[in-house]
Amino acid sequence: MAEQKTLNLTIARVDAPVFSGPVVSVTVPGSEGEMTLLADHTPLMTALRAGTITVRKADGTSETFVVTTGTLEVSK
């Protein structure tokens, strides 16, 4: 089985990081609707609305984080 590509993800609040590490994908509640990001995604910046961020790790496990508002930045 081929190794899955990962992206480095940081989820942070103003006062502290909440999650940091490599993930296979992250699904976020974007201002225009839900979106899933994978490795090598095009850079973008968008507002987040209230909802759940779902992080999928390479070992097959997932974590979820509740968000009320925020900003998403994807960069190289």
Side-chain angles (χ1 to χ4, degrees):
M1 184 171 167
E3 187 174 324
Q4 294 180 317
K5 286 181 121 180
T6 60
L7 60 109
N8 292 317
L9 174 68
T10 300
I11 300 173
R13 297 185 334 194
V14 173
D15 58 345
V18 177
F19 176 91
S20 184
V23 301
V24 173
S25 68
V26 58
T27 302
V28 300
S31 61
E32 299 296 318
E34 186 175 272
M35 68 177 96
T36 298
L37 307 166
L38 303 170
D40 300 325
H41 194 282
T42 301
L44 72 90
M45 190 168 224
T46 188
L48 297 177
R49 59 179 168 76
T52 302
I53 297 173
T54 303
V55 174
R56 191 171 65 112
K57 300 177 187 178
D59 65 5
T61 62
S62 296
E63 284 189 56
T64 58
F65 304 90
V66 175
V67 63
T68 55
T69 187
T71 303
L72 169 72
E73 179 182 0
V74 178
S75 61
K76 293 283 179 187

